[in-house]
C-alpha cells in the first residue's frame, strides 16, 4: 500500500507540473490576491459545521483573564475573522496574518462584532511576530493555520514568547489521518495538488507532536472527526498553558 501511495502521489505531482512552474517563476503569487475571497466563503461553511465545537473550545477563554484586567488575545492567521463571534465581550484583539489582502474581509467582521475591542492588524507570519512584545498577551488563538506555516515549531516558540506566564494557546487544526485508513492514503496522494489549492496547506502533518514537544506546562488536546470532507476530517482541538 505504501508503494502504491507513493506512485499515485508522484502521478499527481507530475500532473501539477504547470503549478510547480508557476510557483518557481513567481506567478503563483497572483493566487494570493484571490485566496482571501475563497477562504471567506469556505470559512462560513466551516463555521456552520464546527459551530458547536468552536463554542465549546472558546468557552474557556475567560478563565485566562487576569484578575481585574481585560482579556488580551492575539490571533495568528486571523484570515477573515470568523472566530470573532466566539470571543467574550470586552476582549481586546490583536490580529496577524501574512496576507494583507484579508483586511477587506477583516474590517467587515470587526464591524459585525462590536462586543470586541480591536487593537490592531499586523501583517506577519506565525514564525515572526516581532512587532508583538514578549509576555504581552493572555491568549493566543490559532485555527487552521499550523497546517500551512513553514515552521510549526518556530510558530509555537513565538506563541510561547508573547504569552504571559499562565497564558494559553488555543488551537483547532486538521491533521493527518490514522495510517490504517483510506483517508491517510488519499491525503498523501492528493497532497501535491492540495498544497496549491490551500496556499501551502499540508494535510499530512502530525501537528499534535509539535504541541507535545513545544514546552507548554499543560496540554489539553483531543482528536475528533469533523463533519467535513475526508481529506480534512481528522482534527485536533484544545489548548495549552504556558
Amino acid at each position: 500500500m505504501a508503494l502504491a501511495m507513493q506512485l499515485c502521489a508522484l502521478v499527481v505531482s507530475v500532473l501539477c507540473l504547470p503549478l510547480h512552474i508557476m510557483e518557481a517563476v513567481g506567478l503563483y503569487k497572483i493566487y494570493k490576491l484571490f485566496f482571501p475571497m475563497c477562504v471567506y466563503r469556505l470559512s462560513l461553511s466551516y463555521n456552520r459545521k464546527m459551530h458547536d465545537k468552536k463554542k465549546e473550545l472558546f468557552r474557556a477563554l475567560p478563565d485566562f483573564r487576569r484578575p481585574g484586567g481585560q482579556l488580551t488575545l492575539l490571533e495568528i492567521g486571523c484570515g477573515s475573522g470568523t472566530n470573532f463571534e466566539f470571543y467574550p465581550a470586552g476582549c481586546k484583539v490583536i490580529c496577524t496574518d501574512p496576507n494583507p489582502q484579508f483586511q477587506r474581509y477583516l474590517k467587515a467582521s470587526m464591524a459585525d462584532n462590536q462586543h470586541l475591542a480591536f487593537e490592531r492588524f499586523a501583517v506577519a507570519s506565525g514564525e515572526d511576530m516581532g512587532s508583538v512584545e514578549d509576555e504581552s498577551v493572555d491568549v493566543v488563538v490559532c485555527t487552521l493555520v499550523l497546517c500551512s506555516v513553514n515552521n510549526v515549531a518556530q510558530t509555537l516558540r513565538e506563541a510561547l514568547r508573547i504569552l504571559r506566564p499562565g497564558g494559553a494557546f488555543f488551537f483547532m487544526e486538521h491533521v493527518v489521518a490514522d495510517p490504517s485508513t483510506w483517508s491517510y492514503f488519499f491525503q498523501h496522494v492528493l497532497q501535491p495538488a492540495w498544497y496549491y489549492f490551500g496556499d501551502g496547506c499540508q494535510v499530512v502533518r502530525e501537528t499534535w507532536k509539535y504541541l507535545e514537544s513545544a514546552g507548554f506546562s499543560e496540554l489539553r488536546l483531543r482528536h475528533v472527526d469533523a463533519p467535513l470532507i475526508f481529506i480534512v476530517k481528522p482534527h485536533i482541538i484544545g489548548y495549552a498553558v504556558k
Side-chain angles (χ1 to χ4, degrees):
M1 184 173 178
L3 179 59
M5 183 175 70
Q6 292 173 7
L7 289 174
C8 290
L10 179 60
V11 171
V12 173
S13 184
V14 170
L15 292 174
C16 291
L17 184 59
L19 295 174
H20 298 327
I21 295 173
M22 287 178 64
E23 183 180 40
V25 300
L27 291 177
Y28 178 70
K29 292 180 180 179
I30 296 174
Y31 178 57
K32 293 183 181 293
L33 299 176
F34 303 98
F35 184 66
M37 179 180 65
C38 299
V39 169
Y40 173 72
R41 293 178 177 177
L42 290 172
S43 294
L44 295 176
S45 175
Y46 183 87
N47 257 17
R48 285 194 299 270
K49 295 177 180 179
M50 299 294 285
H51 182 272
D52 291 344
K53 286 184 170 56
K54 279 194 173 185
K55 188 175 181 180
E56 178 187 0
L57 171 65
F58 293 130
R59 187 179 294 130
L61 284 174
D63 296 344
F64 296 95
R65 179 188 291 115
R66 279 171 283 196
Q70 180 183 32
L71 180 70
T72 302
L73 180 154
L74 180 143
E75 182 168 352
I76 301 174
C78 60
S80 57
T82 52
N83 287 329
F84 293 166
E85 65 177 284
F86 301 98
Y87 296 162
C91 176
K92 181 168 69 174
V93 180
I94 302 168
C95 304
T96 69
D97 200 285
N99 190 335
Q101 303 301 324
F102 273 112
Q103 290 187 74
R104 169 188 171 188
Y105 302 97
L106 195 60
K107 288 178 180 178
S109 293
M110 288 177 176
D112 291 338
N113 290 277
Q114 295 292 321
H115 66 291
L116 304 177
F118 296 99
E119 181 172 299
R120 60 191 168 105
F121 170 73
V123 178
S125 67
E127 296 92 339
D128 184 9
M129 295 181 287
S131 62
V132 183
E133 296 180 359
D134 295 359
E135 301 183 355
S136 60
V137 304
D138 302 306
V139 170
V140 172
V141 171
C142 191
T143 62
L144 304 183
V145 170
L146 296 180
C147 58
S148 58
V149 296
N150 292 324
N151 190 320
V152 179
Q154 175 59 23
T155 300
L156 295 177
R157 282 193 291 269
E158 276 289 88
L160 279 166
R161 178 185 65 79
I162 64 179
L163 275 172
R164 66 167 177 82
F169 177 80
F170 280 71
F171 57 88
M172 179 179 287
E173 300 284 341
H174 66 79
V175 295
V176 68
D178 185 282
S180 64
T181 64
W182 280 107
S183 291
Y184 178 89
F185 177 91
F186 284 108
Q187 280 178 330
H188 284 79
V189 169
L190 297 175
Q191 177 56 54
W194 189 267
Y195 171 87
Y196 294 104
F197 169 78
D199 192 20
C201 178
Q202 301 278 342
V203 293
V204 295
R205 279 186 173 166
E206 298 174 323
T207 307
W208 66 90
K209 292 185 177 180
Y210 291 96
L211 286 159
E212 290 169 351
S213 61
F216 290 101
S217 64
E218 179 185 355
L219 176 60
R220 297 191 179 185
L221 180 154
R222 60 193 179 100
H223 291 256
V224 300
D225 283 332
L228 306 168
I229 61 171
F230 71 94
I231 197 167
V232 291
K233 193 178 185 69
H235 270 55
I236 56 171
I237 298 175
Y239 65 85
V241 181
K242 180 174 178 179

